[in-house]
Amino acid sequence: MALRNILTQEDPSLGKKCREVTAFNQRLHQLLDDMAETLMHADGVGLAAPQVGVLRRAALVLETNVPENENPILIELINPVVIEASGEQHEAEGCLSVPGEYGIVSRPETVKVRAQDRFGNFFEVSGEGLTARCFCHEIDHLDGIVFTSKCERMLTDEELQAIQHRSEETED
Ligand code: NI
């Protein structure tokens, strides 16, 4: 495994629509392993392949809604599609590609995603709250959308300071 460089918003890779993954091979596994290491190193909750310069539909989401004493679960999403969405939330969102900036983004409260795993097997996974937001945020990345282009407003300095202590939870 190796750390990959996380591109920032200005990089053209982040504005491109990514292509489907068609080869579930060692190269994909290497990418996912490297992305996992990169995500953990950055203390984020999600990372999409274009953020490390790979224009393929692959992303990681950390499921943090787990019982106490249990570790968050890292979900690998290949070719993910939102198949159900309900409710609405307006929470502060950040991105590892937009360091230090947060904005309020409207997202569904719960979403169900259909995706493939690293071997090509289809599965469905649901998420709510932060996890739902993260699913949507990462899938947006695969379509070349960064949250700053769809947020209702950026947070003020005061609001920023208030969330600084929990920034690890909101950077995806
Ligand atoms: Ni992001």
Side-chain angles (χ1 to χ4, degrees):
M1 299 221 290
L3 284 178
R4 301 226 183 174
N5 187 32
I6 299 178
L7 303 175
T8 49
Q9 198 174 6
E10 302 75 37
D11 194 286
S13 293
L14 285 172
K16 301 225 167 92
K17 191 170 167 71
C18 298
R19 287 178 295 161
E20 293 235 321
V21 171
T22 52
F24 295 83
N25 55 17
Q26 186 53 42
R27 196 168 170 196
L28 173 68
H29 298 178
Q30 185 68 56
L31 169 68
L32 293 167
D33 291 344
D34 288 354
M35 282 173 62
E37 190 176 348
T38 305
L39 177 62
M40 293 308 134
H41 184 259
D43 252 338
V45 291
L47 186 67
Q51 291 182 277
V52 296
V54 177
L55 297 179
R56 289 286 181 176
R57 304 189 77 81
L60 302 177
V61 167
L62 199 61
E63 170 59 275
T64 53
N65 294 328
V66 292
E68 256 183 274
N69 319 322
E70 285 186 23
N71 290 324
I73 302 158
L74 190 62
I75 305 170
E76 296 178 348
L77 301 168
I78 315 300
N79 303 324
V81 178
V82 172
I83 53 172
E84 276 178 40
S86 62
E88 204 176 328
Q89 56 174 321
H90 301 263
E91 297 291 333
E93 206 164 296
C95 179
L96 293 173
S97 295
V98 192
E101 291 185 47
Y102 298 84
I104 305 292
V105 186
S106 170
R107 303 282 192 192
E109 176 58 28
T110 63
V111 300
K112 188 191 273 185
V113 172
R114 180 170 160 82
Q116 284 166 281
D117 66 16
R118 60 166 62 201
F119 303 105
N121 303 307
F122 283 93
F123 67 99
E124 291 179 4
V125 60
S126 296
E128 63 175 79
L130 173 62
T131 307
R133 213 154 73 223
C134 203
F135 283 149
C136 295
H137 178 113
E138 300 313 327
I139 292 172
D140 273 354
H141 272 306
L142 305 182
D143 291 322
I145 299 166
V146 177
F147 84 97
T148 46
S149 72
K150 65 193 308 183
C151 71
E152 295 165 8
R153 61 176 182 84
M154 297 306 283
L155 293 193
T156 63
D157 287 346
E158 266 184 4
E159 289 171 318
L160 260 180
Q161 282 168 9
I163 66 156
Q164 217 81 81
H165 66 284
R166 58 181 183 96
S167 62
E168 292 87 357
E169 296 166 28
T170 51
E171 281 191 13
D172 44 24

